[in-house]
């Protein structure tokens, strides 16, 4: 056996999972078909909940801004802006953090913990027996030739076109793309910032400065037909679409890179089949809205990592892995629901104007702002820890359960014999923590065997 776990994909989800597995004592190999990271950054930040997860592992200072990480209290739902701080602890998340930086931070952390990260390794085949056998075996193409690797488990974190998902025969139902939208990092231009987007008669545009002389733009023209994933897009095409919507000519500038995306919405039917599991975009794709895709992938990894490590190191039985699908599949389903709803409001053109107006009216109510802030920040997620199923983050309490049961624990300052600390600092090692705030010897004795 080459490792306890093989992770396919060295994006944010795969790298976060690798670090979590190493914290739990599992041997892990990460395979990525690219010879090196592209440096392209589709994502530009992450949600409040993803920030908390990074903080729980002591990673926020690695982004260069520590606890002063730039966050925005004002966000939007489908372009309708409101103050996220209506929900305690909520904000629109960190912005201006290129995905390439997030990947570099997570890669360094995972490598320091002992993860074996291999680039230029493309998964070609999955051997039979992964559904009911003891191992998962993959055939991998490398610069040195074809290799076979074996592990207790294989996790596909290899994006929306996931090879692992296809080889495992896991269904990916959903809706086809209906339109194409563009994104680019443009240079040589002085653009007006449109951080949360601007809806105009011919479409929607966003613009935000990335660094000196470089702006990220997103261009969503009405009526742009869906495209094949194999098609190429040029800066000239993006500039033409920008002018069509805004009336501004940006053709004198250039672009570091250009790409396109769609509103296709799909979710894996199963997050686990035998020895194969899925996380991140391999498990769910959707219209990008508010950095939720990257953030949900990071949360998938944080949920799965400790469980998978506990299983492969013999600290838990395989039945623990059933809670991964039970907890995270409903979260993914809710993610698809909220991004589709945002797409209808944001990109629906004139027919959606009545919907935008009524949503704007509704955000005048505190209860609505709190609800939408919880949905987009991911702070509303709740797991029903009583029976392994999820409450879908709908805020309803299980019968007879304490209202905090199954919810996240926020960052709470603590003072003890060791001095000042907080709940997140205690989680840097990725292990379970019991806080005995009542000095109860019986509680400590009951937990002693799990130390």
């Amino acid at each position: 056996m080459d490792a306890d776990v093989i992770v396919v994909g060295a994006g944010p989800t795969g790298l976060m999972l690798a670090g979590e597995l190493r914290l739990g004592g599992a041997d892990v190999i990460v395979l990525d078909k690219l010879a090196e990271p592209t440096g392209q950054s589709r994502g530009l930040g992450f949600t409040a909940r993803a920030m908390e997860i990074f903080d729980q592992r002591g990673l926020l200072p690695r982004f260069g801004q520590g606890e002063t990480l730039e966050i925005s209290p004002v966000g939007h739902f489908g372009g309708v802006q409101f103050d996220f701080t209506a929900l305690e602890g909520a904000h629109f998340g960190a912005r201006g953090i290129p995905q390439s930086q997030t990947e570099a931070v997570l890669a360094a952390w995972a490598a320091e913990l002992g993860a074996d990260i291999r680039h230029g390794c493309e998964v070609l085949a999955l051997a039979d027996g992964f559904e009911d056998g003891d191992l998962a075996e993959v055939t991998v193409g490398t610069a040195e030739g074809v290799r076979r690797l074996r592990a207790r488990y294989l996790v596909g974190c290899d994006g929306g076109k996931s090879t692992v998902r296809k080889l495992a025969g896991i269904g990916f139902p959903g809706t086809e793309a209906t339109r194409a939208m563009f994104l680019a990092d443009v240079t040589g231009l002085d653009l007006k910032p449109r951080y949360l987007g601007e809806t105009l008669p011919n479409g929607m545009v966003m613009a935000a400065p990335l660094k000196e002389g470089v702006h990220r733009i997103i261009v969503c023209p009405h009526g742009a037909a869906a495209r094949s994933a194999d098609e190429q897009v040029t800066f000239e095409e993006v500039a033409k679409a920008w002018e069509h919507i805004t009336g501004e000519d940006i053709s004198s500038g250039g672009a570091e890179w250009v790409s396109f995306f769609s509103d296709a919405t799909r979710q894996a039917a199963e997050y686990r089949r035998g020895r194969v599991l899925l996380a991140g975009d391999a498990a769910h794709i959707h219209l990008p809205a508010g950095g939720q895709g990257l953030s949900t992938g990071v949360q998938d990894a944080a949920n799965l990592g400790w469980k998978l490590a506990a299983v492969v190191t013999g600290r838990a039985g395989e039945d623990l892995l059933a809670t991964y699908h039970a907890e995270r599949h409903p979260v993914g389903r809710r993610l698809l629901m909220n991004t589709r709803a945002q797409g209808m409001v944001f990109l629906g053109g004139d027919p959606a104007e009545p919907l935008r107006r009524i949503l704007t009216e509704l955000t005048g109510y505190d209860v609505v702002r709190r609800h939408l802030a919880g949905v987009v920040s991911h702070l509303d997620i709740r797991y029903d820890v009583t029976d392994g199923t999820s409450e879908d983050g709908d805020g309803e309490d299980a019968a007879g359960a304490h209202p905090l049961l199954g919810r996240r624990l926020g960052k709470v300052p603590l003072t003890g014999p060791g001095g000042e600390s907080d709940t997140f600092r205690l989680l840097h090692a990725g292990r379970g923590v019991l806080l005995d705030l009542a000095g109860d010897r019986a509680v400590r004795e009951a937990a002693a065997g799990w130390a």
Side-chain angles (χ1 to χ4, degrees):
M1 191 169 69
D2 297 282
D4 294 320
V5 182
I6 294 173
V7 175
V8 182
T13 301
L15 294 169
M16 185 74 196
L17 179 60
E20 293 291 293
L21 288 166
R22 288 300 302 138
L23 285 176
D27 292 327
V28 56
I29 295 173
V30 180
L31 305 177
D32 196 279
K33 67 179 181 180
L34 297 178
E36 58 185 18
T38 66
Q40 296 179 359
S41 297
R42 287 176 174 259
L44 278 180
F46 27 80
T47 66
R49 185 67 186 110
M51 282 187 67
E52 287 189 343
I53 287 177
F54 291 149
D55 202 5
Q56 288 167 355
R57 297 298 181 260
L59 293 173
L60 280 188
R62 299 188 183 216
F63 289 93
Q65 302 177 72
E67 294 188 359
T68 63
L69 198 66
E70 181 186 359
I71 60 175
S72 174
V74 177
H76 71 90
F77 188 92
V80 176
Q81 298 182 23
F82 64 96
D83 188 342
F84 273 44
T85 57
L87 181 66
E88 183 180 356
H91 48 74
F92 198 55
R95 66 184 187 189
I97 306 296
Q99 184 172 322
S100 56
Q101 181 182 357
T102 302
E103 291 178 0
V105 166
L106 295 177
W109 173 64
E112 289 166 14
L113 292 172
D116 182 355
I117 303 173
R118 305 180 186 181
H119 283 275
C121 298
E122 181 177 8
V123 172
L124 304 174
L126 172 64
D128 291 338
F130 71 89
E131 291 191 66
D132 51 15
D134 295 329
L135 296 172
E137 180 180 305
V138 290
T139 302
V140 181
T142 73
E144 292 76 33
V146 175
R147 301 285 186 269
R148 286 182 174 81
L149 297 175
R150 299 190 302 164
R152 291 276 304 281
Y153 291 92
L154 174 71
V155 187
C157 303
D158 49 341
K161 303 176 187 176
S162 174
T163 297
V164 172
R165 186 187 66 238
K166 294 171 184 175
L167 291 174
I170 296 175
F172 203 41
T175 60
E176 297 284 353
T178 63
R179 61 192 301 162
M181 293 154 277
F182 308 109
L183 71 162
D185 288 351
V186 298
T187 58
L189 298 166
D190 184 17
L191 298 178
K192 177 182 75 173
R194 296 172 168 97
Y195 291 108
L196 299 180
E198 181 178 3
T199 300
L200 297 164
N202 292 326
M204 188 278 293
V205 294
M206 289 184 179
L210 288 183
K211 55 186 177 182
E212 185 68 30
V214 182
H215 286 74
R216 163 65 54 82
I217 65 171
I218 296 177
V219 192
C220 305
H222 293 323
R227 306 165 67 111
S228 165
D230 299 324
E231 289 185 55
Q232 300 296 315
V233 60
T234 65
F235 173 66
E236 288 74 20
E237 190 174 359
V238 175
K240 184 177 180 181
W242 180 274
E243 184 173 14
H244 175 65
I245 296 172
T246 67
E248 301 169 4
D249 183 3
I250 63 171
S251 60
S252 61
E256 293 187 342
W257 66 279
V258 297
S259 186
F260 73 92
F261 59 97
S262 76
D263 58 350
T265 303
R266 296 186 178 279
Q267 185 180 23
E270 308 163 79
Y271 279 17
R272 178 195 176 198
R273 175 171 288 183
R275 297 284 164 179
V276 174
L277 299 105
L278 302 174
D281 288 354
H284 40 72
I285 61 170
H286 53 86
L287 181 75
Q292 294 188 79
L294 183 156
S295 299
T296 301
V298 166
Q299 294 169 73
D300 288 345
N303 185 284
L304 175 60
W306 72 269
K307 297 174 180 177
L308 197 50
V311 171
V312 300
T313 57
R315 300 195 306 274
E318 286 194 11
D319 56 341
L320 178 61
L321 296 181
T323 66
Y324 173 60
H325 176 96
E327 292 175 355
R328 295 305 297 173
H329 194 273
V331 170
R333 185 170 63 245
R334 189 167 173 81
L335 168 71
L336 268 56
M337 178 270 291
N338 99 59
T339 52
R340 288 191 70 188
Q342 291 196 65
M344 292 176 186
V345 176
F346 215 174
L347 306 175
D350 289 340
E353 184 58 29
L355 185 57
R356 283 192 288 272
R357 289 181 180 178
I358 196 68
L359 184 57
T360 301
E361 288 183 15
L362 288 171
T363 55
Y365 295 93
D366 182 66
V367 65
V368 174
R369 292 195 301 272
R370 289 174 59 85
H371 180 77
L372 294 179
V375 168
V376 179
S377 68
H378 301 163
L379 298 185
D380 72 339
I381 294 170
R382 176 183 181 175
Y383 303 134
D384 183 354
V385 297
T386 59
D387 62 6
T389 62
S390 172
E391 288 289 321
D392 294 1
D394 61 6
E396 296 296 326
D397 296 328
H402 190 285
L404 294 180
L405 187 65
R407 296 194 182 277
R408 83 189 219 287
L409 174 64
K411 191 171 187 176
V412 180
L414 299 169
T415 302
E420 301 294 325
S421 187
D422 60 63
T423 48
F424 284 8
R425 198 177 308 173
L426 295 180
L427 293 171
H428 285 188
R431 305 300 294 270
V433 173
L434 170 69
L435 298 177
D436 171 21
L437 306 182
D440 190 330
R441 178 181 296 275
V443 169
R444 295 197 301 275
E445 290 177 350
W450 297 95

